[in-house]
């Protein structure tokens, strides 16, 4: 059986359970493509799954290859695939219930794959799918954000937040974002009209009567966020959602988003990127062999933009 290098976990735990080892090269089934992975993005969901936090919500079989943000080249086509050809440069957010992209090859359903933005290299393309789709589905599917509305985006310099700021700016919304002082200029350059340094002031003292809050932080930040919404406003969270008992009485709405694969939306995002409206923010690029360090950086929760693994050369 042909093998590849892959990072797998055989048990749940800390970064030490991540193993770079030989694993079987997957064979694409009907409706699937085999992608030779050039780069894989790191996301919080990766280490949450590694720690076993999503057991009961997403069923996995060990050993498991982590990583659900990939960019690469189609190596082989499964039966029935007609939308792509061998050699196509693509990116994807694959099904999180299956093996991921911390590997030289991954089999992905063709329906979850889109052509890579032409203006991006593979490293930057791998930073887009999961974070980009999360922001897109939160802002446009859940919140129905429209031109002229106002939105507060928490952690505007993060992987999801940096995409959300750019999408909201492109849509024509008034964009307010929270960030630390070192990231204020970056977030403003992405299109934020107002950046609030959360280390110095409380955001609820700086803004109010907003149409949308996009919560990427959770806990007490989420609870404080209800105060800045106007009647009819919506809080959209990608974390556990705690709705106050009086939210409905105050005319407030809520939504929880767990990102889903969507090739059509990836195609729209690629058009925005190639049109110069959106650019992924990548702060750290590491080889596959340094995956433990990548997880530690991600878990610090202070990453600027995305952390990406270079897979084509895993040494």
């Amino acid at each position: 059986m042909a093998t590849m290098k892959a990072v797998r976990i055989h048990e749940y735990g800390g970064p030490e359970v991540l193993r770079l080892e030989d694993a079987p090269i997957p064979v694409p089934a009907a409706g699937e493509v085999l992608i030779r992975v050039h780069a894989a993005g790191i996301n919080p969901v990766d280490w949450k799954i590694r720690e076993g936090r999503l057991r009961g919500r997403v069923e996995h079989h060990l050993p498991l290859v982590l990583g659900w943000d990939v960019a690469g080249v189609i190596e082989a086509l499964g039966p029935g695939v007609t939308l792509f050809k061998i050699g196509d440069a693509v990116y994807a957010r694959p099904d999180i219930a299956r093996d991921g992209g911390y590997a030289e090859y991954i089999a992905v359903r063709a329906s979850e794959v889109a052509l890579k933005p032409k203006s991006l290299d593979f490293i930057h393309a791998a930073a887009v799918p999961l974070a980009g789709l999360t922001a897109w589905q939160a802002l446009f599917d859940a919140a129905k954000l429209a031109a002229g509305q106002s939105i507060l985006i928490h952690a505007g310099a993060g992987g999801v937040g940096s995409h959300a700021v750019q999408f909201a700016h492109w849509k024509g919304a008034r964009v307010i974002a929270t960030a630390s002082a070192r990231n204020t200029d970056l977030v403003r350059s992405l299109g934020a009209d107002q950046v609030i340094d959360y280390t110095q002031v409380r955001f609820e003292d700086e803004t109010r009567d907003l149409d949308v809050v996009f919560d990427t932080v959770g806990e007490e930040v989420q609870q404080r966020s209800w105060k800045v919404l106007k009647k009819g406003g919506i809080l959209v969270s990608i974390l556990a959602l705690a709705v106050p008992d009086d939210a409905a009485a105050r005319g407030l709405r809520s939504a929880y988003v767990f990102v889903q694969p969507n090739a059509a939306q990836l195609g729209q995002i690629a058009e925005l990127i190639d049109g110069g409206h959106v650019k992924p923010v990548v702060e750290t690029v590491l080889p596959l062999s340094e995956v433990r360090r990548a997880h530690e950086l991600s878990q610090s929760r202070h990453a600027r933009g995305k952390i990406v693994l270079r897979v084509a050369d895993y040494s």
Side-chain angles (χ1 to χ4, degrees):
M1 181 179 294
T3 62
M4 62 179 179
K5 290 294 182 183
V7 173
R8 300 196 294 185
I9 61 169
H10 294 254
E11 60 186 332
Y12 297 109
E16 70 279 357
V17 303
L18 296 165
R19 298 188 196 173
L20 177 60
E21 59 191 13
D22 291 328
I25 295 177
V27 177
E32 296 181 351
V33 298
L34 181 68
I35 298 172
R36 176 167 173 74
V37 180
H38 284 228
I42 299 284
N43 294 283
V45 72
D46 300 0
W47 49 262
K48 290 177 181 179
I49 288 175
R50 187 205 72 216
E51 292 182 339
R53 295 193 196 184
L54 268 63
R55 280 183 288 183
R57 290 181 56 192
V58 181
E59 295 301 322
H60 289 118
H61 299 286
L62 302 181
L64 173 70
V65 180
L66 298 177
W68 294 275
D69 237 355
V70 299
V73 174
I74 291 183
E75 184 86 1
L77 305 174
V81 176
T82 59
L83 292 177
F84 300 99
K85 63 181 184 301
I86 293 173
D88 280 346
V90 296
Y91 71 158
R93 186 282 197 186
D95 183 349
I96 207 164
R98 297 166 37 137
D99 274 337
Y102 295 1
E104 291 181 296
Y105 295 93
I106 181 174
V108 182
R109 297 185 188 99
S111 60
E112 299 167 351
V113 177
L115 293 175
K116 177 183 74 66
K118 295 181 176 64
S119 57
L120 295 184
D121 58 23
F122 288 105
I123 293 291
H124 287 80
V128 175
L130 193 148
L133 285 175
T134 299
W136 188 277
Q137 291 169 15
L139 268 57
F140 304 134
D141 293 349
K144 310 295 184 187
L145 184 68
Q149 290 189 317
S150 56
I151 181 172
L152 171 63
I153 297 167
H154 285 298
V160 174
S162 60
H163 282 86
V165 168
Q166 295 177 86
F167 291 158
H169 174 73
W170 163 76
K171 194 68 173 179
R174 179 170 179 268
V175 183
I176 305 159
T178 60
S180 63
R182 86 176 183 102
N183 291 323
T184 296
D185 289 344
L186 167 67
V187 175
R188 189 171 286 113
S189 76
L190 298 177
D193 299 289
Q194 178 183 354
V195 183
I196 300 171
D197 180 356
Y198 66 87
T199 68
Q200 299 298 317
V201 297
R202 292 174 71 85
F203 63 84
E204 63 266 39
D205 295 333
E206 301 295 315
T207 189
R208 65 187 63 223
D209 296 326
L210 303 179
D211 296 289
V212 180
V213 172
F214 182 29
D215 167 40
T216 67
V217 179
E219 299 178 346
E220 58 97 14
V221 168
Q222 181 186 109
Q223 290 306 304
R224 289 159 51 203
S225 295
W226 292 98
K227 302 174 185 177
V228 305
L229 287 168
K230 70 181 183 182
K231 187 176 179 65
I234 184 169
L235 187 151
V236 181
S237 182
I238 58 174
L239 299 160
L241 187 59
V243 182
D245 292 338
D246 63 345
R250 290 190 291 157
L252 302 179
R253 298 172 295 136
S254 64
Y256 168 74
V257 170
F258 189 85
V259 63
Q260 300 299 315
N262 192 307
Q265 290 176 350
L266 282 179
Q268 291 177 283
I269 293 169
E271 290 181 4
L272 289 182
I273 291 170
D274 287 338
H277 300 287
V278 175
K279 60 179 180 181
V281 178
V282 175
E283 182 176 54
T284 305
V285 181
L286 295 168
L288 191 57
S289 58
E290 294 190 37
V291 64
R292 292 181 183 178
R293 181 181 167 208
H295 272 226
E296 289 166 355
L297 287 172
S298 178
Q299 285 191 258
S300 75
R301 296 179 181 270
H302 292 292
R304 177 175 177 162
K306 291 294 293 287
I307 303 164
V308 177
L309 295 173
R310 187 175 63 251
V311 179
D313 174 15
Y314 57 83
S315 60

